Amino acid sequence: MRLQFILSEIGIGLRRNLSMTISVILVTFVSLTFVGAAILTQGQIQKFKGEWYDKVEITVYLCPRDSTVPSCADGEATQEHINQIEQVLESPEVSPEIREVMFESKDDAWVAFERNFSDRWWFTEMSVDDMNASFRIKLTDPEEYQVINEVLTGRAGVEEVRDQREIYEPLFDVLTKATLVASGLAGVMLLAAVLLITTTIRLSALSRRRETGIMRLVGASTLFIQLPFMLEGAIAATVGALLACVALWGGVHYLVEGWLGQNMDWIPYVTTGDVLMVAPWLIIVAILLAAISSIVTLSRYTKV
């Protein structure tokens, strides 16, 4: 009988404040969609870094002929220059930061260049002598690029030290800013959801003050009186969270896995599995927001 009474009270409350309940569902849906999108975007950044940072190399280009860089004033890099650079890379101060070193001669560079660009009209104007010999260095920690940069930049025979992270960092910056924007919007929308839940529960409780007063007189406990109002907010917020989970799953499945995954399959993307891992947390957040809003509202603004 108690369960039946509580369920009937929840139904009455939801019907009486139908428009406010729908508003709570929609605002919770939008806010948690932004929360989920921010989490998935951060997960995407981590996937990018995990996939690409291990492949990132530092390329040390040696001086070619006719270079105008000051460190190439002596002309093309000689075997002596190469030996000196190898000694630096093998030194106790630098070697712990290095996982692997590969040397690419001018002939090796020409083979790769010919393979990639032989169909271009300007290819016939190039020759082996236009190529740079280079060292390709993989670091134990890609974040420690400056160690290699400091010891080799400006050294005789070195034209340029280039970190491949420069290619990826702009993308990471865009994704990070997108995460911050989504997080900011999510925070605003969550605040709106809390206010709407508070208002909805308050209106529901005020519309049933007579019934709750009678229940108090006959000895009903505070929890028994307040529980229907708390469950109303929790149900509305949970429905909004479920809609957010469905929207995120659909977006990842059709947009990320379906469209982007087919057109740019060399990039590791978040998957619907990641959405399913995030979904329970979104539902928990929705229930906690509703519970906190209900407790504050019923204890401060409504006399039951």
Side-chain angles (χ1 to χ4, degrees):
M1 292 296 293
R2 287 188 174 186
L3 178 61
Q4 183 178 0
F5 173 78
I6 290 173
L7 293 176
S8 65
E9 287 295 301
I10 292 173
I12 292 171
L14 293 175
R15 287 195 300 272
R16 284 182 178 179
N17 301 286
L18 183 60
S19 60
M20 293 293 291
T21 300
I22 294 174
S23 298
V24 170
I25 292 173
L26 292 177
V27 172
T28 305
F29 157 62
V30 174
S31 60
L32 291 181
T33 298
F34 278 119
V35 171
I39 295 172
L40 292 174
T41 303
Q42 191 61 36
Q44 183 66 73
I45 294 174
Q46 296 306 315
K47 281 181 178 285
F48 280 163
K49 288 185 175 181
E51 177 71 16
W52 289 343
Y53 265 27
D54 286 342
K55 299 178 181 178
V56 165
E57 297 177 344
I58 292 177
T59 303
V60 181
Y61 291 104
L62 304 184
C63 295
R65 65 179 186 179
D66 303 326
S67 175
T68 59
V69 176
S71 58
C72 298
D74 296 334
E76 185 175 351
T78 64
Q79 185 61 46
E80 183 181 355
H81 291 140
I82 294 173
N83 293 338
Q84 290 174 353
I85 294 171
E86 288 177 340
Q87 290 176 5
V88 171
L89 297 177
E90 293 171 359
S91 65
E93 296 81 9
V94 178
S95 59
E97 305 294 337
I98 297 175
R99 187 172 66 187
E100 183 180 1
V101 177
M102 296 169 287
F103 178 73
E104 183 180 71
S105 67
K106 292 171 60 174
D107 292 331
D108 295 333
W110 174 255
V111 171
F113 182 79
E114 184 178 26
R115 182 173 60 249
N116 294 320
F117 301 105
S118 60
D119 58 340
R120 305 299 175 88
W121 64 268
W122 41 260
F123 176 77
T124 55
E125 303 295 326
M126 307 295 292
S127 68
V128 176
D129 291 332
D130 296 311
M131 299 294 103
N132 288 72
S134 63
F135 285 94
R136 301 188 182 279
I137 304 170
K138 289 187 177 181
L139 302 179
T140 53
D141 181 3
E143 299 288 343
E144 297 298 325
Y145 155 72
Q146 289 299 329
V147 174
I148 306 298
N149 185 51
E150 289 174 1
V151 297
L152 293 182
T153 298
R155 179 175 290 273
V158 176
E159 182 181 43
E160 181 185 7
V161 179
R162 183 179 299 173
D163 180 15
Q164 288 183 348
R165 287 191 312 158
E166 297 172 357
I167 302 172
Y168 305 130
E169 287 298 343
L171 176 60
F172 294 151
D173 289 341
V174 169
L175 290 175
T176 300
K177 290 176 182 177
T179 302
L180 294 175
V181 170
S183 300
L185 291 173
V188 173
M189 297 304 295
L190 285 174
L191 177 60
V194 169
L195 295 176
L196 268 176
I197 294 171
T198 300
T199 303
T200 301
I201 294 173
R202 185 181 183 187
L203 289 175
S204 180
L206 288 173
S207 67
R208 285 180 279 172
R209 291 183 68 181
R210 183 176 180 180
E211 292 92 328
T212 54
I214 294 173
M215 292 171 64
R216 173 67 72 186
L217 290 174
V218 299
S221 66
T222 300
L223 178 61
F224 186 75
I225 296 172
Q226 294 182 351
L227 190 58
F229 304 112
M230 297 170 66
L231 290 177
E232 287 174 24
I235 290 172
T238 301
V239 172
L242 291 173
L243 291 176
C245 294
V246 171
L248 291 170
W249 187 93
V252 170
H253 179 69
Y254 293 105
L255 179 62
V256 178
E257 291 183 330
W259 180 58
L260 290 176
Q262 292 179 2
N263 289 280
M264 293 184 288
D265 57 1
W266 49 274
I267 297 177
Y269 294 107
V270 292
T271 64
T272 51
D274 296 312
V275 177
L276 295 179
M277 293 180 62
V278 171
W281 294 105
L282 297 182
I283 295 172
I284 291 172
V285 168
I287 294 174
L288 287 176
L289 286 176
I292 294 171
S293 302
S294 301
I295 292 171
V296 171
T297 301
L298 294 171
S299 62
R300 289 191 177 185
Y301 300 110
T302 306
K303 302 298 182 180
V304 293

